[in-house]
Amino acid sequence: MREGTIIKQMDLGGSRIVFRYPRWSDLPQYLKMHNEFYREQTMTCPQKLDRARGCRKLTGVLTEIETGQARWLFLEIDGKLRGEGFARKRGANYAVVGLALMQECRGLGLGEEMMLLLEDESRKLHRYRLYLEVWAANQPALSLYKKLEYKETGRKPDFMEKASGGFSDLIEMGKKIRRKAVK
Ligand SMILES: CC(C)(COP(=O)(O)OP(=O)(O)OC[C@H]1O[C@@H](n2cnc3c(N)ncnc32)[C@H](O)[C@@H]1OP(=O)(O)O)[C@@H](O)C(=O)NCCC(=O)NCCS
């Protein structure tokens, strides 16, 4: 795997959309994106990143890829980092998947595209059982996963206190994907 390798690119409404592997030079935009996720309190980014933390986190991403523990995809729109997703090996035979897109590029079909690409990346890791966790209160993510035929496999009731008050369940979901030829 080479840093920055483009996995898929397309045009959407005049914008250039690129899904690619991360690279070290992503650091400044990576920090910006994560701190945006942190500000929004998405599940994927519970911690504010200063430069040192960001360096450690991106190093971790690149190390996981290099050692074959995971595949990460970055979403770039017109040259700007706008989202990320991962498929990480867990246990002997499954992978955990997850993703987050910046607010302004949601609802355009890119989350769905990213999930399908992550399924392909899981195949490259020879993992055909996928697993994820999602807050019951996160309707967009829950709908996306259901659309892609992830099924609920477990639930931790009232696991998260919502900023708006009350609690939300943590839902565990899984899916078996077909083994098809790796591109
Ligand atoms: C969840 C997320 C990745 C979805 O990505 P997206 O690009 O907005 O989704 P898409 O445009 O590809 O939509 C695909 C499907 O997701 C569902 N969906 C997307 N936005 C939705 C919304 N606002 N309300 C309900 N369902 C929604 C729909 O089922 C949609 O299919 P449809 O267009 O046929 O109705 C995105 O909202 C996000 O990054 N959220 C913040 C981070 C996060 O919550 N990550 C998941 C943690 S578990």
Side-chain angles (χ1 to χ4, degrees), residues 40 42-44 99-102 105-113 133-135 138-141 143-145 147:
E40 208 196 328
T42 66
M43 182 181 178
T44 47
L99 80 170
L101 272 51
M102 289 179 78
C105 57
R106 294 179 195 159
L108 301 173
L110 298 174
E112 187 170 342
E113 187 64 48
E133 292 180 337
V134 57
W135 299 117
N138 190 347
Q139 264 313 315
S143 305
L144 169 63
Y145 303 145
K147 182 177 180 187

